[in-house]
Amino acid sequence: MPNQSLNAKLLWMQFEDILAPRLGLTVFDRAVYSYLLRHSLVVGKLRLHFAVMSVARDLGLSNGPVRQAVRRLDELGALRLLERSKTGHFVEMRLPEQIRATRPVKDGASGATGAAGEPPASKLEATDFLKTWALRKSIHDRERGACFYCLRRTPAHVQCLDHVVPRARCGRHSYRNLVSCYMECNFHKNDRPAPDFLRTLYRQGRLTPAELDARLRALKDLAAGKLRPALPENGK
């Protein structure tokens, strides 16, 4: 792969027409992916070692959005994080055509659902789950009436949606970043990192040690795209 010459025109079309819209990439995701691709596969290197601070400086951004973009690109399969240390990140880059959610559906496949009746990954990743009432309800239904954080039952009049990664830190309206929770938890969590808030609930006696461990695992599963909601039948 690194020894093959890339078709720059085709690469750009795949990025703009397929990758970015299907994965719902933010402007920060686009900038970081383009930068990393430019310094890796475009110049014949499969893997790249970089410091977030250096990338942020070159792009004229702050460290936070760049770090979050790298994390999301890893979650979406646009790159593979091999190592993270004090010296920086070591990643393996992937071209748009190599990313699972952007591959075309094979002949004879309907593309309507994934395994076990699940919606296709590309549709899920591109969906804004705050856009309609039905989509918001699908997140509430995924939690089955319980607060994602404290596990209390949450009747409709006291439940809301929370961005695990706050909007102030470029958190998306994605199923990977939205949870149904008790209004009180939403208020007290505010912009704190979700793991820190869960540990606060544990110290307050509102979560047992086993429940804390389970919630921390659920956070990882959420970010990895393992907690998929059921999309409304009409997609709205």
Side-chain angles (χ1 to χ4, degrees), residues 28-29 32-33 36 50 52 55 64-76 79 81 84 89 91:
F28 298 120
D29 299 335
V32 172
Y33 178 78
L36 298 179
F50 65 91
V52 166
V55 175
V66 173
R67 184 173 292 105
Q68 182 63 26
V70 172
R71 176 183 174 186
R72 278 191 10 86
L73 291 170
D74 177 45
E75 292 170 355
L76 295 172
L79 59 82
L81 181 60
R84 182 173 57 190
H89 292 65
V91 302

mmCIF file with all atom_site columns, all heavy atoms in Angstrom, residues 28-29 32-33 36 50 52 55 64-76 79 81 84 89 91:
data_model
loop_
_atom_site.group_PDB
_atom_site.id
_atom_site.type_symbol
_atom_site.label_atom_id
_atom_site.label_alt_id
_atom_site.label_comp_id
_atom_site.label_asym_id
_atom_site.label_entity_id
_atom_site.label_seq_id
_atom_site.pdbx_PDB_ins_code
_atom_site.Cartn_x
_atom_site.Cartn_y
_atom_site.Cartn_z
_atom_site.occupancy
_atom_site.B_iso_or_equiv
_atom_site.pdbx_formal_charge
_atom_site.auth_seq_id
_atom_site.auth_comp_id
_atom_site.auth_asym_id
_atom_site.auth_atom_id
_atom_site.pdbx_PDB_model_num
ATOM 1   N N   . PHE A 1 28 ? -13.524 19.745 12.460 1.00 0.00 ? 28 PHE A N   1
ATOM 2   C CA  . PHE A 1 28 ? -12.272 19.381 13.124 1.00 0.00 ? 28 PHE A CA  1
ATOM 3   C C   . PHE A 1 28 ? -11.821 17.993 12.684 1.00 0.00 ? 28 PHE A C   1
ATOM 4   O O   . PHE A 1 28 ? -10.630 17.767 12.431 1.00 0.00 ? 28 PHE A O   1
ATOM 5   C CB  . PHE A 1 28 ? -12.441 19.419 14.646 1.00 0.00 ? 28 PHE A CB  1
ATOM 6   C CG  . PHE A 1 28 ? -12.795 20.772 15.188 1.00 0.00 ? 28 PHE A CG  1
ATOM 7   C CD1 . PHE A 1 28 ? -13.974 20.972 15.881 1.00 0.00 ? 28 PHE A CD1 1
ATOM 8   C CD2 . PHE A 1 28 ? -11.953 21.857 15.000 1.00 0.00 ? 28 PHE A CD2 1
ATOM 9   C CE1 . PHE A 1 28 ? -14.309 22.220 16.377 1.00 0.00 ? 28 PHE A CE1 1
ATOM 10  C CE2 . PHE A 1 28 ? -12.268 23.109 15.498 1.00 0.00 ? 28 PHE A CE2 1
ATOM 11  C CZ  . PHE A 1 28 ? -13.456 23.295 16.178 1.00 0.00 ? 28 PHE A CZ  1
ATOM 12  N N   . ASP A 1 29 ? -12.766 17.062 12.590 1.00 0.00 ? 29 ASP A N   1
ATOM 13  C CA  . ASP A 1 29 ? -12.433 15.712 12.123 1.00 0.00 ? 29 ASP A CA  1
ATOM 14  C C   . ASP A 1 29 ? -11.834 15.766 10.714 1.00 0.00 ? 29 ASP A C   1
ATOM 15  O O   . ASP A 1 29 ? -10.838 15.100 10.414 1.00 0.00 ? 29 ASP A O   1
ATOM 16  C CB  . ASP A 1 29 ? -13.677 14.823 12.090 1.00 0.00 ? 29 ASP A CB  1
ATOM 17  C CG  . ASP A 1 29 ? -14.329 14.649 13.442 1.00 0.00 ? 29 ASP A CG  1
ATOM 18  O OD1 . ASP A 1 29 ? -13.619 14.794 14.459 1.00 0.00 ? 29 ASP A OD1 1
ATOM 19  O OD2 . ASP A 1 29 ? -15.544 14.375 13.488 1.00 0.00 ? 29 ASP A OD2 1
ATOM 20  N N   . VAL A 1 32 ? -8.235  17.302 10.762 1.00 0.00 ? 32 VAL A N   1
ATOM 21  C CA  . VAL A 1 32 ? -7.236  16.419 11.357 1.00 0.00 ? 32 VAL A CA  1
ATOM 22  C C   . VAL A 1 32 ? -6.984  15.213 10.459 1.00 0.00 ? 32 VAL A C   1
ATOM 23  O O   . VAL A 1 32 ? -5.830  14.817 10.236 1.00 0.00 ? 32 VAL A O   1
ATOM 24  C CB  . VAL A 1 32 ? -7.674  15.974 12.769 1.00 0.00 ? 32 VAL A CB  1
ATOM 25  C CG1 . VAL A 1 32 ? -6.733  14.893 13.312 1.00 0.00 ? 32 VAL A CG1 1
ATOM 26  C CG2 . VAL A 1 32 ? -7.694  17.175 13.719 1.00 0.00 ? 32 VAL A CG2 1
ATOM 27  N N   . TYR A 1 33 ? -8.047  14.611 9.921  1.00 0.00 ? 33 TYR A N   1
ATOM 28  C CA  . TYR A 1 33 ? -7.863  13.454 9.036  1.00 0.00 ? 33 TYR A CA  1
ATOM 29  C C   . TYR A 1 33 ? -7.042  13.850 7.807  1.00 0.00 ? 33 TYR A C   1
ATOM 30  O O   . TYR A 1 33 ? -6.114  13.138 7.407  1.00 0.00 ? 33 TYR A O   1
ATOM 31  C CB  . TYR A 1 33 ? -9.221  12.895 8.606  1.00 0.00 ? 33 TYR A CB  1
ATOM 32  C CG  . TYR A 1 33 ? -9.116  11.730 7.640  1.00 0.00 ? 33 TYR A CG  1
ATOM 33  C CD1 . TYR A 1 33 ? -8.804  10.455 8.095  1.00 0.00 ? 33 TYR A CD1 1
ATOM 34  C CD2 . TYR A 1 33 ? -9.313  11.921 6.273  1.00 0.00 ? 33 TYR A CD2 1
ATOM 35  C CE1 . TYR A 1 33 ? -8.691  9.392  7.202  1.00 0.00 ? 33 TYR A CE1 1
ATOM 36  C CE2 . TYR A 1 33 ? -9.209  10.872 5.381  1.00 0.00 ? 33 TYR A CE2 1
ATOM 37  C CZ  . TYR A 1 33 ? -8.895  9.602  5.854  1.00 0.00 ? 33 TYR A CZ  1
ATOM 38  O OH  . TYR A 1 33 ? -8.781  8.561  4.969  1.00 0.00 ? 33 TYR A OH  1
ATOM 39  N N   . LEU A 1 36 ? -3.339  14.356 8.810  1.00 0.00 ? 36 LEU A N   1
ATOM 40  C CA  . LEU A 1 36 ? -2.634  13.101 9.087  1.00 0.00 ? 36 LEU A CA  1
ATOM 41  C C   . LEU A 1 36 ? -2.434  12.276 7.813  1.00 0.00 ? 36 LEU A C   1
ATOM 42  O O   . LEU A 1 36 ? -1.392  11.644 7.632  1.00 0.00 ? 36 LEU A O   1
ATOM 43  C CB  . LEU A 1 36 ? -3.400  12.292 10.132 1.00 0.00 ? 36 LEU A CB  1
ATOM 44  C CG  . LEU A 1 36 ? -3.555  12.942 11.512 1.00 0.00 ? 36 LEU A CG  1
ATOM 45  C CD1 . LEU A 1 36 ? -4.348  12.036 12.441 1.00 0.00 ? 36 LEU A CD1 1
ATOM 46  C CD2 . LEU A 1 36 ? -2.197  13.267 12.121 1.00 0.00 ? 36 LEU A CD2 1
ATOM 47  N N   . PHE A 1 50 ? 2.897   11.336 15.887 1.00 0.00 ? 50 PHE A N   1
ATOM 48  C CA  . PHE A 1 50 ? 2.694   12.781 15.958 1.00 0.00 ? 50 PHE A CA  1
ATOM 49  C C   . PHE A 1 50 ? 2.295   13.196 17.371 1.00 0.00 ? 50 PHE A C   1
ATOM 50  O O   . PHE A 1 50 ? 1.821   12.385 18.172 1.00 0.00 ? 50 PHE A O   1
ATOM 51  C CB  . PHE A 1 50 ? 1.602   13.225 14.974 1.00 0.00 ? 50 PHE A CB  1
ATOM 52  C CG  . PHE A 1 50 ? 0.230   12.671 15.299 1.00 0.00 ? 50 PHE A CG  1
ATOM 53  C CD1 . PHE A 1 50 ? -0.653  13.377 16.106 1.00 0.00 ? 50 PHE A CD1 1
ATOM 54  C CD2 . PHE A 1 50 ? -0.165  11.442 14.800 1.00 0.00 ? 50 PHE A CD2 1
ATOM 55  C CE1 . PHE A 1 50 ? -1.907  12.870 16.407 1.00 0.00 ? 50 PHE A CE1 1
ATOM 56  C CE2 . PHE A 1 50 ? -1.415  10.910 15.101 1.00 0.00 ? 50 PHE A CE2 1
ATOM 57  C CZ  . PHE A 1 50 ? -2.289  11.631 15.907 1.00 0.00 ? 50 PHE A CZ  1
ATOM 58  N N   . VAL A 1 52 ? -0.194  15.800 19.489 1.00 0.00 ? 52 VAL A N   1
ATOM 59  C CA  . VAL A 1 52 ? -1.416  16.587 19.324 1.00 0.00 ? 52 VAL A CA  1
ATOM 60  C C   . VAL A 1 52 ? -1.104  18.077 19.292 1.00 0.00 ? 52 VAL A C   1
ATOM 61  O O   . VAL A 1 52 ? -1.663  18.832 18.486 1.00 0.00 ? 52 VAL A O   1
ATOM 62  C CB  . VAL A 1 52 ? -2.415  16.264 20.458 1.00 0.00 ? 52 VAL A CB  1
ATOM 63  C CG1 . VAL A 1 52 ? -3.534  17.307 20.508 1.00 0.00 ? 52 VAL A CG1 1
ATOM 64  C CG2 . VAL A 1 52 ? -2.999  14.870 20.280 1.00 0.00 ? 52 VAL A CG2 1
ATOM 65  N N   . VAL A 1 55 ? 0.148   19.121 15.826 1.00 0.00 ? 55 VAL A N   1
ATOM 66  C CA  . VAL A 1 55 ? -0.929  19.149 14.840 1.00 0.00 ? 55 VAL A CA  1
ATOM 67  C C   . VAL A 1 55 ? -1.820  20.368 15.065 1.00 0.00 ? 55 VAL A C   1
ATOM 68  O O   . VAL A 1 55 ? -2.195  21.072 14.124 1.00 0.00 ? 55 VAL A O   1
ATOM 69  C CB  . VAL A 1 55 ? -1.763  17.855 14.906 1.00 0.00 ? 55 VAL A CB  1
ATOM 70  C CG1 . VAL A 1 55 ? -2.954  17.942 13.950 1.00 0.00 ? 55 VAL A CG1 1
ATOM 71  C CG2 . VAL A 1 55 ? -0.904  16.640 14.576 1.00 0.00 ? 55 VAL A CG2 1
ATOM 72  N N   . GLY A 1 64 ? -7.639  20.632 22.505 1.00 0.00 ? 64 GLY A N   1
ATOM 73  C CA  . GLY A 1 64 ? -8.843  19.853 22.810 1.00 0.00 ? 64 GLY A CA  1
ATOM 74  C C   . GLY A 1 64 ? -9.561  19.313 21.583 1.00 0.00 ? 64 GLY A C   1
ATOM 75  O O   . GLY A 1 64 ? -9.805  18.104 21.487 1.00 0.00 ? 64 GLY A O   1
ATOM 76  N N   . PRO A 1 65 ? -9.931  20.166 20.622 1.00 0.00 ? 65 PRO A N   1
ATOM 77  C CA  . PRO A 1 65 ? -10.627 19.668 19.429 1.00 0.00 ? 65 PRO A CA  1
ATOM 78  C C   . PRO A 1 65 ? -9.796  18.671 18.626 1.00 0.00 ? 65 PRO A C   1
ATOM 79  O O   . PRO A 1 65 ? -10.345 17.721 18.068 1.00 0.00 ? 65 PRO A O   1
ATOM 80  C CB  . PRO A 1 65 ? -10.884 20.947 18.622 1.00 0.00 ? 65 PRO A CB  1
ATOM 81  C CG  . PRO A 1 65 ? -10.917 22.038 19.639 1.00 0.00 ? 65 PRO A CG  1
ATOM 82  C CD  . PRO A 1 65 ? -9.911  21.636 20.677 1.00 0.00 ? 65 PRO A CD  1
ATOM 83  N N   . VAL A 1 66 ? -8.481  18.869 18.584 1.00 0.00 ? 66 VAL A N   1
ATOM 84  C CA  . VAL A 1 66 ? -7.623  17.940 17.843 1.00 0.00 ? 66 VAL A CA  1
ATOM 85  C C   . VAL A 1 66 ? -7.596  16.584 18.538 1.00 0.00 ? 66 VAL A C   1
ATOM 86  O O   . VAL A 1 66 ? -7.723  15.537 17.900 1.00 0.00 ? 66 VAL A O   1
ATOM 87  C CB  . VAL A 1 66 ? -6.186  18.500 17.704 1.00 0.00 ? 66 VAL A CB  1
ATOM 88  C CG1 . VAL A 1 66 ? -5.257  17.451 17.096 1.00 0.00 ? 66 VAL A CG1 1
ATOM 89  C CG2 . VAL A 1 66 ? -6.199  19.754 16.847 1.00 0.00 ? 66 VAL A CG2 1
ATOM 90  N N   . ARG A 1 67 ? -7.435  16.594 19.862 1.00 0.00 ? 67 ARG A N   1
ATOM 91  C CA  . ARG A 1 67 ? -7.407  15.336 20.611 1.00 0.00 ? 67 ARG A CA  1
ATOM 92  C C   . ARG A 1 67 ? -8.738  14.588 20.457 1.00 0.00 ? 67 ARG A C   1
ATOM 93  O O   . ARG A 1 67 ? -8.772  13.365 20.278 1.00 0.00 ? 67 ARG A O   1
ATOM 94  C CB  . ARG A 1 67 ? -7.110  15.634 22.085 1.00 0.00 ? 67 ARG A CB  1
ATOM 95  C CG  . ARG A 1 67 ? -6.955  14.378 22.946 1.00 0.00 ? 67 ARG A CG  1
ATOM 96  C CD  . ARG A 1 67 ? -6.508  14.704 24.347 1.00 0.00 ? 67 ARG A CD  1
ATOM 97  N NE  . ARG A 1 67 ? -5.140  15.215 24.384 1.00 0.00 ? 67 ARG A NE  1
ATOM 98  C CZ  . ARG A 1 67 ? -4.809  16.486 24.576 1.00 0.00 ? 67 ARG A CZ  1
ATOM 99  N NH1 . ARG A 1 67 ? -5.754  17.396 24.741 1.00 0.00 ? 67 ARG A NH1 1
ATOM 100 N NH2 . ARG A 1 67 ? -3.549  16.857 24.596 1.00 0.00 ? 67 ARG A NH2 1
ATOM 101 N N   . GLN A 1 68 ? -9.849  15.332 20.525 1.00 0.00 ? 68 GLN A N   1
ATOM 102 C CA  . GLN A 1 68 ? -11.159 14.712 20.371 1.00 0.00 ? 68 GLN A CA  1
ATOM 103 C C   . GLN A 1 68 ? -11.343 14.160 18.961 1.00 0.00 ? 68 GLN A C   1
ATOM 104 O O   . GLN A 1 68 ? -11.917 13.082 18.768 1.00 0.00 ? 68 GLN A O   1
ATOM 105 C CB  . GLN A 1 68 ? -12.255 15.739 20.677 1.00 0.00 ? 68 GLN A CB  1
ATOM 106 C CG  . GLN A 1 68 ? -13.674 15.198 20.590 1.00 0.00 ? 68 GLN A CG  1
ATOM 107 C CD  . GLN A 1 68 ? -13.946 14.101 21.600 1.00 0.00 ? 68 GLN A CD  1
ATOM 108 O OE1 . GLN A 1 68 ? -13.304 14.052 22.634 1.00 0.00 ? 68 GLN A OE1 1
ATOM 109 N NE2 . GLN A 1 68 ? -14.897 13.248 21.303 1.00 0.00 ? 68 GLN A NE2 1
ATOM 110 N N   . ALA A 1 69 ? -10.839 14.865 17.961 1.00 0.00 ? 69 ALA A N   1
ATOM 111 C CA  . ALA A 1 69 ? -10.960 14.403 16.574 1.00 0.00 ? 69 ALA A CA  1
ATOM 112 C C   . ALA A 1 69 ? -10.181 13.107 16.366 1.00 0.00 ? 69 ALA A C   1
ATOM 113 O O   . ALA A 1 69 ? -10.662 12.189 15.698 1.00 0.00 ? 69 ALA A O   1
ATOM 114 C CB  . ALA A 1 69 ? -10.455 15.495 15.620 1.00 0.00 ? 69 ALA A CB  1
ATOM 115 N N   . VAL A 1 70 ? -8.989  13.015 16.950 1.00 0.00 ? 70 VAL A N   1
ATOM 116 C CA  . VAL A 1 70 ? -8.188  11.789 16.824 1.00 0.00 ? 70 VAL A CA  1
ATOM 117 C C   . VAL A 1 70 ? -8.942  10.622 17.456 1.00 0.00 ? 70 VAL A C   1
ATOM 118 O O   . VAL A 1 70 ? -9.005  9.520  16.899 1.00 0.00 ? 70 VAL A O   1
ATOM 119 C CB  . VAL A 1 70 ? -6.808  11.961 17.491 1.00 0.00 ? 70 VAL A CB  1
ATOM 120 C CG1 . VAL A 1 70 ? -6.060  10.628 17.542 1.00 0.00 ? 70 VAL A CG1 1
ATOM 121 C CG2 . VAL A 1 70 ? -5.977  12.993 16.744 1.00 0.00 ? 70 VAL A CG2 1
ATOM 122 N N   . ARG A 1 71 ? -9.541  10.875 18.595 1.00 0.00 ? 71 ARG A N   1
ATOM 123 C CA  . ARG A 1 71 ? -10.302 9.822  19.281 1.00 0.00 ? 71 ARG A CA  1
ATOM 124 C C   . ARG A 1 71 ? -11.481 9.359  18.424 1.00 0.00 ? 71 ARG A C   1
ATOM 125 O O   . ARG A 1 71 ? -11.721 8.160  18.275 1.00 0.00 ? 71 ARG A O   1
ATOM 126 C CB  . ARG A 1 71 ? -10.803 10.351 20.625 1.00 0.00 ? 71 ARG A CB  1
ATOM 127 C CG  . ARG A 1 71 ? -11.685 9.371  21.383 1.00 0.00 ? 71 ARG A CG  1
ATOM 128 C CD  . ARG A 1 71 ? -12.204 9.994  22.663 1.00 0.00 ? 71 ARG A CD  1
ATOM 129 N NE  . ARG A 1 71 ? -13.152 9.121  23.335 1.00 0.00 ? 71 ARG A NE  1
ATOM 130 C CZ  . ARG A 1 71 ? -13.859 9.457  24.413 1.00 0.00 ? 71 ARG A CZ  1
ATOM 131 N NH1 . ARG A 1 71 ? -13.709 10.654 24.942 1.00 0.00 ? 71 ARG A NH1 1
ATOM 132 N NH2 . ARG A 1 71 ? -14.700 8.614  24.958 1.00 0.00 ? 71 ARG A NH2 1
ATOM 133 N N   . ARG A 1 72 ? -12.201 10.316 17.833 1.00 0.00 ? 72 ARG A N   1
ATOM 134 C CA  . ARG A 1 72 ? -13.367 9.952  17.018 1.00 0.00 ? 72 ARG A CA  1
ATOM 135 C C   . ARG A 1 72 ? -12.950 9.231  15.739 1.00 0.00 ? 72 ARG A C   1
ATOM 136 O O   . ARG A 1 72 ? -13.601 8.272  15.309 1.00 0.00 ? 72 ARG A O   1
ATOM 137 C CB  . ARG A 1 72 ? -14.169 11.200 16.659 1.00 0.00 ? 72 ARG A CB  1
ATOM 138 C CG  . ARG A 1 72 ? -15.101 11.636 17.755 1.00 0.00 ? 72 ARG A CG  1
ATOM 139 C CD  . ARG A 1 72 ? -16.102 12.698 17.390 1.00 0.00 ? 72 ARG A CD  1
ATOM 140 N NE  . ARG A 1 72 ? -16.210 13.005 15.989 1.00 0.00 ? 72 ARG A NE  1
ATOM 141 C CZ  . ARG A 1 72 ? -16.988 12.335 15.126 1.00 0.00 ? 72 ARG A CZ  1
ATOM 142 N NH1 . ARG A 1 72 ? -17.684 11.295 15.537 1.00 0.00 ? 72 ARG A NH1 1
ATOM 143 N NH2 . ARG A 1 72 ? -17.055 12.700 13.861 1.00 0.00 ? 72 ARG A NH2 1
ATOM 144 N N   . LEU A 1 73 ? -11.877 9.684  15.130 1.00 0.00 ? 73 LEU A N   1
ATOM 145 C CA  . LEU A 1 73 ? -11.401 9.026  13.910 1.00 0.00 ? 73 LEU A CA  1
ATOM 146 C C   . LEU A 1 73 ? -10.998 7.580  14.189 1.00 0.00 ? 73 LEU A C   1
ATOM 147 O O   . LEU A 1 73 ? -11.193 6.695  13.355 1.00 0.00 ? 73 LEU A O   1
ATOM 148 C CB  . LEU A 1 73 ? -10.229 9.815  13.319 1.00 0.00 ? 73 LEU A CB  1
ATOM 149 C CG  . LEU A 1 73 ? -10.580 11.189 12.726 1.00 0.00 ? 73 LEU A CG  1
ATOM 150 C CD1 . LEU A 1 73 ? -9.315  11.970 12.404 1.00 0.00 ? 73 LEU A CD1 1
ATOM 151 C CD2 . LEU A 1 73 ? -11.456 11.042 11.486 1.00 0.00 ? 73 LEU A CD2 1
ATOM 152 N N   . ASP A 1 74 ? -10.453 7.349  15.383 1.00 0.00 ? 74 ASP A N   1
ATOM 153 C CA  . ASP A 1 74 ? -10.104 5.987  15.787 1.00 0.00 ? 74 ASP A CA  1
ATOM 154 C C   . ASP A 1 74 ? -11.374 5.165  15.986 1.00 0.00 ? 74 ASP A C   1
ATOM 155 O O   . ASP A 1 74 ? -11.473 4.020  15.533 1.00 0.00 ? 74 ASP A O   1
ATOM 156 C CB  . ASP A 1 74 ? -9.280  6.030  17.072 1.00 0.00 ? 74 ASP A CB  1
ATOM 157 C CG  . ASP A 1 74 ? -8.932  4.642  17.588 1.00 0.00 ? 74 ASP A CG  1
ATOM 158 O OD1 . ASP A 1 74 ? -8.529  3.783  16.770 1.00 0.00 ? 74 ASP A OD1 1
ATOM 159 O OD2 . ASP A 1 74 ? -9.064  4.406  18.799 1.00 0.00 ? 74 ASP A OD2 1
ATOM 160 N N   . GLU A 1 75 ? -12.382 5.745  16.641 1.00 0.00 ? 75 GLU A N   1
ATOM 161 C CA  . GLU A 1 75 ? -13.640 5.043  16.884 1.00 0.00 ? 75 GLU A CA  1
ATOM 162 C C   . GLU A 1 75 ? -14.350 4.691  15.574 1.00 0.00 ? 75 GLU A C   1
ATOM 163 O O   . GLU A 1 75 ? -14.961 3.623  15.447 1.00 0.00 ? 75 GLU A O   1
ATOM 164 C CB  . GLU A 1 75 ? -14.566 5.909  17.746 1.00 0.00 ? 75 GLU A CB  1
ATOM 165 C CG  . GLU A 1 75 ? -14.077 6.118  19.172 1.00 0.00 ? 75 GLU A CG  1
ATOM 166 C CD  . GLU A 1 75 ? -14.878 7.168  19.906 1.00 0.00 ? 75 GLU A CD  1
ATOM 167 O OE1 . GLU A 1 75 ? -15.752 7.808  19.260 1.00 0.00 ? 75 GLU A OE1 1
ATOM 168 O OE2 . GLU A 1 75 ? -14.650 7.368  21.106 1.00 0.00 ? 75 GLU A OE2 1
ATOM 169 N N   . LEU A 1 76 ? -14.247 5.594  14.591 1.00 0.00 ? 76 LEU A N   1
ATOM 170 C CA  . LEU A 1 76 ? -14.933 5.398  13.320 1.00 0.00 ? 76 LEU A CA  1
ATOM 171 C C   . LEU A 1 76 ? -14.156 4.527  12.348 1.00 0.00 ? 76 LEU A C   1
ATOM 172 O O   . LEU A 1 76 ? -14.660 4.175  11.280 1.00 0.00 ? 76 LEU A O   1
ATOM 173 C CB  . LEU A 1 76 ? -15.217 6.760  12.675 1.00 0.00 ? 76 LEU A CB  1
ATOM 174 C CG  . LEU A 1 76 ? -16.182 7.671  13.436 1.00 0.00 ? 76 LEU A CG  1
ATOM 175 C CD1 . LEU A 1 76 ? -16.224 9.051  12.798 1.00 0.00 ? 76 LEU A CD1 1
ATOM 176 C CD2 . LEU A 1 76 ? -17.575 7.059  13.480 1.00 0.00 ? 76 LEU A CD2 1
ATOM 177 N N   . LEU A 1 79 ? -8.686  5.700  11.291 1.00 0.00 ? 79 LEU A N   1
ATOM 178 C CA  . LEU A 1 79 ? -7.296  5.413  11.645 1.00 0.00 ? 79 LEU A CA  1
ATOM 179 C C   . LEU A 1 79 ? -7.308  4.380  12.762 1.00 0.00 ? 79 LEU A C   1
ATOM 180 O O   . LEU A 1 79 ? -8.361  4.126  13.362 1.00 0.00 ? 79 LEU A O   1
ATOM 181 C CB  . LEU A 1 79 ? -6.547  6.686  12.064 1.00 0.00 ? 79 LEU A CB  1
ATOM 182 C CG  . LEU A 1 79 ? -7.079  7.493  13.258 1.00 0.00 ? 79 LEU A CG  1
ATOM 183 C CD1 . LEU A 1 79 ? -6.635  6.920  14.604 1.00 0.00 ? 79 LEU A CD1 1
ATOM 184 C CD2 . LEU A 1 79 ? -6.605  8.940  13.157 1.00 0.00 ? 79 LEU A CD2 1
ATOM 185 N N   . LEU A 1 81 ? -5.383  3.542  16.303 1.00 0.00 ? 81 LEU A N   1
ATOM 186 C CA  . LEU A 1 81 ? -4.431  3.998  17.308 1.00 0.00 ? 81 LEU A CA  1
ATOM 187 C C   . LEU A 1 81 ? -3.623  2.802  17.798 1.00 0.00 ? 81 LEU A C   1
ATOM 188 O O   . LEU A 1 81 ? -4.148  1.883  18.413 1.00 0.00 ? 81 LEU A O   1
ATOM 189 C CB  . LEU A 1 81 ? -5.163  4.660  18.478 1.00 0.00 ? 81 LEU A CB  1
ATOM 190 C CG  . LEU A 1 81 ? -4.293  5.220  19.605 1.00 0.00 ? 81 LEU A CG  1
ATOM 191 C CD1 . LEU A 1 81 ? -3.344  6.285  19.078 1.00 0.00 ? 81 LEU A CD1 1
ATOM 192 C CD2 . LEU A 1 81 ? -5.170  5.791  20.718 1.00 0.00 ? 81 LEU A CD2 1
ATOM 193 N N   . ARG A 1 84 ? -0.300  5.226  22.483 1.00 0.00 ? 84 ARG A N   1
ATOM 194 C CA  . ARG A 1 84 ? -0.397  6.602  22.958 1.00 0.00 ? 84 ARG A CA  1
ATOM 195 C C   . ARG A 1 84 ? 0.494   6.736  24.178 1.00 0.00 ? 84 ARG A C   1
ATOM 196 O O   . ARG A 1 84 ? 0.389   5.963  25.129 1.00 0.00 ? 84 ARG A O   1
ATOM 197 C CB  . ARG A 1 84 ? -1.836  6.951  23.312 1.00 0.00 ? 84 ARG A CB  1
ATOM 198 C CG  . ARG A 1 84 ? -2.029  8.392  23.783 1.00 0.00 ? 84 ARG A CG  1
ATOM 199 C CD  . ARG A 1 84 ? -3.491  8.715  23.948 1.00 0.00 ? 84 ARG A CD  1
ATOM 200 N NE  . ARG A 1 84 ? -4.135  7.805  24.873 1.00 0.00 ? 84 ARG A NE  1
ATOM 201 C CZ  . ARG A 1 84 ? -5.450  7.734  25.068 1.00 0.00 ? 84 ARG A CZ  1
ATOM 202 N NH1 . ARG A 1 84 ? -6.254  8.513  24.369 1.00 0.00 ? 84 ARG A NH1 1
ATOM 203 N NH2 . ARG A 1 84 ? -5.960  6.879  25.933 1.00 0.00 ? 84 ARG A NH2 1
ATOM 204 N N   . HIS A 1 89 ? 1.072   10.283 19.747 1.00 0.00 ? 89 HIS A N   1
ATOM 205 C CA  . HIS A 1 89 ? 0.248   9.191  19.243 1.00 0.00 ? 89 HIS A CA  1
ATOM 206 C C   . HIS A 1 89 ? 0.961   8.490  18.089 1.00 0.00 ? 89 HIS A C   1
ATOM 207 O O   . HIS A 1 89 ? 1.585   9.149  17.257 1.00 0.00 ? 89 HIS A O   1
ATOM 208 C CB  . HIS A 1 89 ? -1.092  9.721  18.728 1.00 0.00 ? 89 HIS A CB  1
ATOM 209 C CG  . HIS A 1 89 ? -1.997  10.262 19.798 1.00 0.00 ? 89 HIS A CG  1
ATOM 210 N ND1 . HIS A 1 89 ? -1.694  11.376 20.542 1.00 0.00 ? 89 HIS A ND1 1
ATOM 211 C CD2 . HIS A 1 89 ? -3.216  9.829  20.236 1.00 0.00 ? 89 HIS A CD2 1
ATOM 212 C CE1 . HIS A 1 89 ? -2.672  11.619 21.396 1.00 0.00 ? 89 HIS A CE1 1
ATOM 213 N NE2 . HIS A 1 89 ? -3.608  10.698 21.220 1.00 0.00 ? 89 HIS A NE2 1
ATOM 214 N N   . VAL A 1 91 ? -0.135  6.061  15.010 1.00 0.00 ? 91 VAL A N   1
ATOM 215 C CA  . VAL A 1 91 ? -1.351  5.579  14.367 1.00 0.00 ? 91 VAL A CA  1
ATOM 216 C C   . VAL A 1 91 ? -1.060  4.937  13.018 1.00 0.00 ? 91 VAL A C   1
ATOM 217 O O   . VAL A 1 91 ? -0.017  5.189  12.401 1.00 0.00 ? 91 VAL A O   1
ATOM 218 C CB  . VAL A 1 91 ? -2.369  6.726  14.159 1.00 0.00 ? 91 VAL A CB  1
ATOM 219 C CG1 . VAL A 1 91 ? -2.731  7.382  15.480 1.00 0.00 ? 91 VAL A CG1 1
ATOM 220 C CG2 . VAL A 1 91 ? -1.831  7.762  13.175 1.00 0.00 ? 91 VAL A CG2 1
#
